[in-house]
Amino acid sequence: MFFPEYRPRRLRRTEALRAMVRETELSVKHLIYPLFVCPGKGVREEVSSMPGVFRLSVDEAVREAREVFELGVPAVILFGIPEKKDEVGSEAYAKRGIVQRAISAIKKEVPELLVVTDVCLCEYTSHGHCGIIKDSEVDNDATLEQLARIAVSHARAGADMVAPSDMMDGRVARIREALDEAGFSHVPILSYAVKYCSSFYGPFREAADSAPQFGDRRSYQMDPANAREALREAALDIEEGADILMVKPALPYLDIIRALREEFNHPIAAYQVSGEYAMIKAAARLGWLDEERVMLESLLSIRRAGADIIITYFAKEVARKLGR
């Protein structure tokens, strides 16, 4: 029997050999863990569609942050559920807003943990859209001023990085300008540069109480059919001052992550969103797949596509499995 000179199975024979030639690494240092912060004290309310994910009061968020840091996960990203909502999302930039209080408390108790903050209005507006509504439509330019106020308020509270997720045109430039004018030129921007209008966000909208009350977000989030547009969006955000580019969702858009990796030298982040997490959890509960192996494989595929950073609800589980 004839075999070619090179036989690939030679390097697959043992774990030591496989590890030696492994091309992609998955480590806890690549992960960011999302936290949903809500009013109250001692609140730890599980999100029904996201087993293992909770709405947390500030004191519980601090406890969770400490656990995350001790597991070796380097960063959390905060999403706020305010006590009240209004048409312009004023609680998003309130000095004693829910996220502002959480930032301060976490940085006081776990100062070495990186705190990233979501900068958007959807959790804070009574209509559930990511911007200011005028004549039944989201007003892009009016929204920019609100986003800048939010970002500066987060920086003042101690945030290490801000992450605008609204998909308004020009938001990165306006936020960069506002941060610099307020003395926070050292605070980087992780831009949701390529955020698709995806059906995979459903569980998140339950967790953050952020579903739009009318219409949808197709006029500002990207069309899932478009790939070249992703490169244009990313290029604009780089030009405006973004430090890190993010693709959201992750697994259905691995081709987009790869395209950005090949086109740009900036760090690339990807968000393994709530629907991706919920599908794995649900299938595992039904015994249809091995949760741990699928969790690791899915995250490894996101890294292999080119992501340097992954936001994932599995961060703690990965840390327990892989260690520091």
Side-chain angles (χ1 to χ4, degrees):
M1 184 177 292
F2 172 77
F3 287 100
E5 184 176 345
Y6 174 63
R7 295 183 65 161
R9 285 188 58 188
R10 289 180 184 138
L11 299 181
R12 301 174 191 157
R13 190 168 54 86
T14 68
E15 175 53 31
L17 282 168
R18 292 191 295 273
M20 186 180 293
V21 299
R22 191 161 288 142
E23 299 171 16
T24 304
E25 176 193 13
L26 176 65
S27 166
V28 293
K29 68 185 180 183
H30 302 129
L31 307 180
I32 298 176
Y33 185 55
L35 293 177
F36 296 98
V37 189
C38 66
K41 188 173 182 179
V43 178
R44 189 177 180 83
E45 178 186 356
E46 188 170 35
V47 180
S48 63
S49 56
M50 299 174 71
V53 175
F54 300 84
R55 296 186 192 89
L56 304 166
S57 53
V58 171
D59 57 316
E60 288 292 320
V62 170
R63 188 163 70 88
E64 192 85 349
R66 187 180 296 110
E67 180 185 359
V68 166
F69 181 71
E70 289 172 354
L71 285 169
V73 178
V76 295
I77 182 167
L78 302 183
F79 299 91
I81 303 163
E83 293 186 25
K84 59 182 181 179
K85 303 187 179 194
D86 58 31
E87 288 291 305
V88 298
S90 58
E91 280 294 302
Y93 49 84
K95 185 175 181 180
R96 293 291 296 165
I98 189 67
V99 165
Q100 288 79 359
R101 285 186 280 129
I103 297 166
S104 299
I106 291 171
K107 293 304 293 185
K108 180 180 179 180
E109 295 297 323
V110 199
E112 294 180 58
L113 181 70
L114 292 173
V115 175
V116 185
T117 59
D118 178 70
V119 174
C120 196
L121 287 168
C122 61
E123 299 109 302
Y124 302 90
T125 53
S126 52
H127 46 74
H129 278 283
C130 301
I132 303 301
I133 300 295
K134 289 187 178 180
D135 299 324
S136 301
E137 293 188 3
V138 174
D139 186 310
N140 188 96
D141 295 0
T143 301
L144 299 185
E145 298 310 309
Q146 295 293 78
L147 297 172
R149 294 176 75 177
I150 297 167
V152 170
S153 76
H154 289 176
R156 285 198 177 112
D160 297 291
M161 186 184 301
V162 295
S165 63
D166 53 284
M167 290 300 286
M168 298 297 118
D169 295 341
R171 78 286 180 53
V172 172
R174 183 66 190 96
I175 289 170
R176 182 74 275 158
E177 179 184 40
L179 288 171
D180 292 353
E181 288 177 350
F184 298 109
S185 59
H186 61 284
V187 173
I189 298 174
L190 189 170
S191 173
Y192 287 63
V194 183
K195 181 178 179 180
Y196 284 92
C197 190
S198 172
S199 300
F200 284 84
Y201 302 149
F204 175 94
R205 290 174 181 173
E206 177 198 347
D209 188 25
S210 62
Q213 298 303 301
F214 64 90
D216 54 41
R217 295 176 176 150
R218 284 182 288 185
S219 70
Y220 46 99
Q221 294 179 356
M222 279 185 55
D223 186 335
N226 292 357
R228 295 190 301 272
E229 184 184 6
L231 299 179
R232 298 197 297 272
E233 283 278 9
L236 284 169
D237 282 9
I238 289 172
E239 184 180 337
E240 292 177 20
D243 299 283
I244 301 172
L245 305 172
M246 184 147 72
V247 176
K248 179 182 180 182
L251 204 59
Y253 297 92
L254 295 179
D255 61 320
I256 306 301
I257 297 171
R258 170 53 61 185
L260 264 64
R261 177 72 292 146
E262 292 175 349
E263 184 74 16
F264 304 109
N265 290 323
H266 274 54
I268 304 294
Y271 199 143
Q272 186 186 47
V273 299
S274 59
E276 297 173 66
Y277 173 86
M279 287 193 303
I280 294 172
K281 283 287 187 179
R285 284 192 170 189
L286 290 169
W288 292 348
L289 50 73
D290 183 316
E291 179 179 329
E292 183 179 283
R293 293 185 66 180
V294 171
M295 169 188 75
L296 294 173
E297 184 178 341
S298 65
L299 293 169
L300 188 65
S301 73
I302 297 166
R303 285 276 297 140
R304 190 183 65 244
D308 302 291
I309 300 162
I310 305 173
I311 299 176
T312 177
Y313 302 96
F314 283 119
K316 290 199 304 181
E317 294 170 64
V318 173
R320 293 189 184 106
K321 173 63 179 176
L322 300 182
R324 289 178 176 268

